[in-house]
Amino acid sequence: MTFKTFRTVLFSVIFLAISFEGFATETKETEGDKEFDAKEMILHHVKDAHGFHLWDWKGHPVSISLPIILWTDNGLTTFSSSRFHHDDTGKVVVEAKGGKFVKYHEKIYQLEEGATSLTFDEEHHPVGASKPLNFSITRNVMMLFVSALLLMILFISAARSYAKSKDGVPTGLAGFLEPLVVFVRDEIAKPMIGEHKYKRYMPYLLTIFFFIWINNIFGLIPIMNGANLSGNIAFTFTLAVFTFIITTISGNKNYWKHIFWMPGVPVPMKIFLMPIEIIGMFVKPISLMIRLFANITAGHVIILALMSLIFVFKTVAIAPVSVAFSLFITVIEIIVTAIQAYIFTILSALYFGMATEEEHY
């Protein structure tokens, strides 16, 4: 085993140990109240939240609170998520700007006038409360800002390094980024779009490649406590929409001709193929959205499911198996972080190339 491989495995073990500690602590809190529910635990960890739960210290949670920003009948209402005291069951009522608010399953509800607590119907759906417009800074939104800021710092620093270099030889951070930029240019943009048209798409391709990769890496850090931006369907949907818009705007005459009236085929076949091609326009970005979301989320779900086996069987005898397989999946996820960024970028470039391809005979 090389030192590099050993270091990767060691970091993975440390990450799993930190994750397992927080996971076990949370499980112990509910152990005396009800039977362990693996599904509820997994969904709780993979969904977005209004704060970062870091660890527990002497029975008290240590967390980073984020701002709650709501638009209600009384106008803009803001307060810290710490006022909910880590409650997610709707029991803690926060009074702000003439309204009463509760948090239930990471959703903010405003109680109706006269109500003192959140009530539920027979199917355990909240009643007697409404959901105001929520513009809160959740942990996924926070990580969006952090990754965007990091991306700007990386490339601005690299650009300054090139500007200061007299011979054009990259040093420091620029030396690390240049091979990746050249890889996106030579292995993705040029082959998929073409030598003469790839430059106009390079800023977007570089942005989504590094943006997705950085956020995938952040999602593997246990202390982030599930701040997995790429595992959020709204995030992948937004990226897919941008790819769809650029593809549609870039489409030339030849591109639209092959969609609405494919040349070189009989008229009945043209009528048959046209709706299929139109549907295909929307299927492409949808596949981009689902592929990134599903692959990133699946890894986290598998690790949590493997850890859950210890508490489902109620024995530590299965712990070595759970930890070993979780470590294996974690190592795979480290590889997947780059692979999924590459796949999203190369497919986007492929769609741009199809939209700009010139007519040939």
Side-chain angles (χ1 to χ4, degrees):
M1 178 184 291
T2 63
F3 174 74
K4 188 174 182 181
T5 305
F6 173 76
R7 184 179 58 187
T8 303
V9 173
L10 179 61
F11 285 167
S12 300
V13 171
I14 295 173
F15 285 171
L16 278 173
I18 298 174
S19 302
F20 183 75
E21 181 183 359
F23 174 76
T25 303
E26 182 176 328
T27 305
K28 287 179 182 178
E29 292 175 354
T30 59
E31 200 174 50
D33 299 330
K34 60 180 180 179
E35 191 72 18
F36 174 70
D37 189 342
K39 178 182 177 182
E40 180 181 351
M41 182 278 302
I42 292 173
L43 292 178
H44 172 75
H45 276 75
V46 299
K47 69 181 179 181
D48 201 2
H50 289 86
F52 291 90
H53 177 247
L54 303 179
W55 57 75
D56 287 341
W57 179 257
K58 295 182 179 180
H60 299 285
V62 178
S63 62
I64 299 175
S65 300
L66 296 174
I68 303 292
I69 306 173
L70 307 172
W71 183 264
T72 66
D73 296 335
N74 298 326
L76 188 65
T77 303
T78 61
F79 55 90
S80 174
S81 61
S82 62
R83 296 184 61 183
F84 286 116
H85 304 293
H86 307 283
D87 177 74
D88 194 39
T89 61
K91 296 178 181 178
V92 176
V93 179
V94 175
E95 296 186 16
K97 204 172 182 179
K100 296 180 179 179
F101 305 93
V102 296
K103 182 160 68 77
Y104 179 69
H105 287 181
E106 294 300 338
K107 295 180 180 179
I108 308 298
Y109 292 88
Q110 182 177 6
L111 299 179
E112 295 180 353
E113 188 174 353
T116 58
S117 62
L118 191 64
T119 56
F120 303 90
D121 58 16
E122 295 178 354
E123 298 180 352
H124 209 67
H125 295 152
V127 294
S130 60
K131 287 195 292 186
L133 291 176
N134 194 341
F135 301 98
S136 302
I137 306 298
T138 62
R139 63 187 180 194
N140 277 344
V141 176
M142 185 66 185
M143 293 313 301
L144 176 67
F145 292 151
V146 170
S147 56
L149 179 62
L150 178 60
L151 202 61
M152 291 176 63
I153 293 173
L154 287 175
F155 282 96
I156 291 175
S157 300
R160 288 177 177 175
S161 177
Y162 273 105
K164 293 179 181 179
S165 177
K166 296 181 180 180
D167 54 4
V169 178
T171 58
L173 188 60
F176 169 75
L177 291 176
E178 187 184 51
L180 298 174
V181 173
V182 172
F183 171 78
V184 174
R185 183 194 68 186
D186 294 345
E187 303 299 329
I188 296 178
K190 286 184 178 180
M192 296 296 109
I193 303 174
E195 290 279 349
H196 303 292
K197 298 180 180 179
Y198 78 92
K199 290 184 179 179
R200 61 186 297 195
Y201 299 101
M202 277 296 292
Y204 177 73
L205 296 177
L206 287 172
T207 300
I208 59 173
F209 178 79
F210 284 98
F211 196 48
I212 293 173
W213 193 11
I214 288 173
N215 281 292
N216 288 347
I217 293 173
F218 279 151
L220 293 179
I221 302 176
I223 201 170
M224 298 300 181
N225 192 30
N228 182 27
L229 192 58
S230 299
N232 188 300
I233 193 71
F235 174 75
T236 60
F237 169 78
T238 303
L239 293 182
V241 167
F242 278 119
T243 295
F244 173 75
I245 292 174
I246 295 174
T247 303
T248 304
I249 294 175
S250 301
N252 56 20
K253 182 179 179 181
N254 181 59
Y255 173 73
W256 294 112
K257 184 190 297 184
H258 277 77
I259 289 178
F260 292 104
W261 205 248
M262 188 173 293
V265 298
V267 173
M269 186 60 67
K270 290 181 180 180
I271 298 174
F272 175 76
L273 291 176
M274 182 174 63
I276 297 177
E277 292 294 332
I278 294 174
I279 294 173
M281 289 175 55
F282 299 96
V283 170
K284 292 171 185 174
I286 291 174
S287 67
L288 279 179
M289 172 187 70
I290 295 176
R291 182 184 290 106
L292 178 58
F293 164 74
N295 281 282
I296 297 302
T297 304
H300 296 280
V301 171
I302 291 173
I303 291 175
L304 291 170
L306 288 169
M307 287 299 187
S308 298
L309 294 177
I310 302 172
F311 302 95
V312 170
F313 290 101
K314 299 180 181 179
T315 175
V316 295
I318 201 170
V321 177
S322 294
V323 173
F325 277 100
S326 297
L327 175 61
F328 174 70
I329 298 298
T330 301
V331 174
I332 291 178
E333 276 204 285
I334 295 173
I335 302 172
V336 169
T337 56
I339 291 177
Q340 288 304 315
Y342 168 76
I343 291 175
F344 196 101
T345 306
I346 196 171
L347 287 177
S348 296
L350 175 63
Y351 301 154
F352 300 158
M354 293 170 61
T356 58
E357 184 182 14
E358 296 295 339
E359 187 173 6
H360 56 84
Y361 300 94

